[in-house]
Amino acid sequence: MPGAIHAEGLVKTFGDVRALDGVDLDVPEGTVLGLLGPNGAGKTTTVRVLTTLLRPDSGKAVVAGIDVLKHPNEVRRAIGLSGQFAAVDEYLTGRENLHMVGQLYQMSGRAAKARAVELLDRFHLADAADRPAKTYSGGMRRRLDLAAALVVSPPVMFMDEPTTGLDPRNRQQLWDVIQELVAGGTTVLLTTQYLEEADHLAHDICVVDHGKVIARGTADQLKVRTGGERVEVVVHRPEQIEPARAVLTGFGKGEVAVETHTRKLTVPVTGGAKLLAEVIRELDSRGVGIDDIGLRRPTLDDVFISLTGHAAERDEEGGPESGAPGRGRRDGRRDGGSGGPRDDRDADRDADRKEGVA
């Protein structure tokens, strides 16, 4: 039986750009799917298709049991969408923003006000409830944006890089909220460039690149696929990096990665703690001083690099946005960044012009 979010063979092209190339997804009810991939891989385009903001060239999608192509209005009533760009009205207060969303969903005035109070408290915004949103910090706007997506307690939530720009405390608070939602039965599709976020929240992970799903499974399954353990060494002085590299090359099962600025070297190995002891003895015999050494399992960063060939890239606060628009019920226009390589964000802008999507 298909999950709360189900897609088969989604294809979307913009001129010569094939943003989606046969994407298949299935997200069981009450779980979190982490959608990972490099910038331009097709993550945001996938979200836009599933939330009815783009029409695919081919393929089908069902969200909350509703066909996305045949009944888009019903889908919009069943979902929440929090994009990377906080879609709040900066001239309204936090309370007024949430009240307005409730009225757009045709809630009674009393119910909308009560829900606004509840959400303002839940997202630690009660003290700023009657201040204009333009006076909020970036993190506060992110929390207000997510609160607006939850006004009607949707059974399915789409979150496009929801913690971009948040400090560690606010990020942890948002993680707690997401976990509460899922515990209550909400299904979440989460795109993120913070791999520790996917590791912490996602029941399953899909890695996309060039518009295709190139790997899927739990975080542990993907780590096993990457294989082996890693020895990490931090040498005491920069001139000891090369002697340490020579030692690790002799013990390793792959290329030694070096971070010169932190004096850290990492290499995949097999052999566990016994091998680690041998590495320490060899480094000592060659006079290589170490500040730290350890044995660790692969991380999702290792998985990402193994699958895509490079580390994850994330937009910094104030940089170009991912292009995820509002929530399918409000203006989703974005600040346009100039320059840089063409990716699915540029493709989305082309689609806006061609299809009339705001």
Side-chain angles (χ1 to χ4, degrees):
M1 182 177 177
I5 303 172
H6 182 77
E8 294 181 15
L10 293 181
V11 173
K12 185 65 182 178
T13 58
F14 304 95
D16 295 332
V17 178
R18 200 169 180 87
L20 300 182
D21 192 9
V23 169
D24 297 328
L25 296 174
D26 193 71
V27 190
E29 185 176 344
T31 66
V32 180
L33 176 71
L35 196 61
L36 308 183
N39 287 336
K43 302 185 301 297
T44 294
T45 302
T46 299
V47 170
R48 287 171 68 89
V49 168
L50 294 173
T51 55
T52 77
L53 298 176
L54 279 178
R55 190 175 183 88
D57 299 330
S58 61
K60 65 179 183 178
V62 176
V63 174
I66 307 166
D67 190 297
V68 171
L69 300 181
K70 294 180 180 178
H71 307 290
N73 288 334
E74 284 92 345
V75 171
R76 290 169 191 152
R77 284 191 282 267
I79 65 173
L81 171 58
S82 179
Q84 186 180 357
F85 183 77
V88 298
D89 189 320
E90 64 178 13
Y91 293 101
L92 298 181
T93 66
R95 189 188 309 278
E96 289 168 342
N97 265 283
L98 298 184
H99 186 221
M100 176 188 68
V101 172
Q103 290 183 311
L104 289 173
Y105 274 112
Q106 300 180 341
M107 297 173 65
S108 70
R110 179 176 297 178
K113 289 179 180 179
R115 183 61 172 160
V117 170
E118 178 186 347
L119 289 168
L120 289 165
D121 183 63
R122 186 177 189 180
F123 285 89
H124 307 284
L125 292 169
D127 290 344
D130 297 311
R131 282 169 38 196
K134 65 181 179 181
T135 68
Y136 285 16
S137 68
M140 292 170 70
R141 290 190 186 202
R142 299 293 301 137
R143 284 181 278 150
L144 181 61
D145 182 72
L146 182 56
L150 297 174
V151 166
V152 293
S153 301
V156 178
M157 275 290 300
F158 293 88
M159 299 184 179
D160 195 4
E161 304 197 25
T163 60
T164 296
L166 296 187
D167 61 41
R169 182 175 65 87
N170 284 323
R171 182 174 297 125
Q172 183 61 58
Q173 288 176 348
L174 189 52
W175 288 0
D176 292 342
V177 170
I178 293 172
Q179 289 174 321
E180 289 174 13
L181 289 172
V182 175
T186 301
T187 304
V188 177
L189 189 150
L190 169 77
T191 78
T192 181
Q193 296 286 16
Y194 296 102
L195 302 186
E196 71 276 14
E197 183 164 273
D199 210 351
H200 186 81
L201 294 174
H203 296 84
D204 289 289
I205 292 170
C206 277
V207 182
V208 296
D209 200 12
H210 300 293
K212 297 181 179 180
V213 175
I214 60 173
R216 70 182 77 215
T218 66
D220 285 342
Q221 288 169 341
L222 293 178
K223 291 173 186 176
V224 168
R225 171 174 171 172
T226 301
E229 299 167 306
R230 269 72 176 154
V231 168
E232 284 188 347
V233 179
V234 178
V235 298
H236 187 60
R237 298 192 303 274
E239 59 267 25
Q240 295 174 325
I241 289 176
E242 288 309 315
R245 188 205 297 263
V247 171
L248 294 181
T249 298
F251 286 100
K253 300 297 181 182
E255 184 178 352
V256 180
V258 179
E259 296 180 9
T260 305
H261 64 293
T262 59
R263 309 184 308 282
K264 184 171 76 173
L265 300 91
T266 306
V267 66
V269 299
T270 58
K274 181 179 179 181
L275 180 133
L276 182 62
E278 294 174 4
V279 171
I280 293 172
R281 283 195 294 268
E282 184 65 20
L283 289 169
D284 184 61
S285 71
R286 299 199 188 189
V288 177
I290 56 176
D291 289 343
D292 193 17
I293 187 167
L295 188 70
R296 65 167 176 80
R297 296 180 60 207
T299 65
L300 279 183
D301 287 278
D302 298 318
V303 171
F304 199 98
I305 292 170
S306 173
L307 293 171
T308 68
H310 57 84
E313 304 162 357
R314 63 175 65 102
D315 293 331
E316 298 298 331
E317 185 176 13
E321 303 292 342
S322 72
R327 267 173 285 280
R329 51 175 168 66
R330 294 193 286 167
D331 190 330
R333 288 176 298 220
R334 307 174 302 281
D335 295 334
S338 60
R342 181 179 179 86
D343 59 14
D344 59 307
R345 292 171 291 177
D346 300 302
D348 287 347
R349 284 191 282 272
D350 289 348
D352 288 352
R353 290 190 290 269
K354 292 177 183 178
E355 302 186 22
V357 178

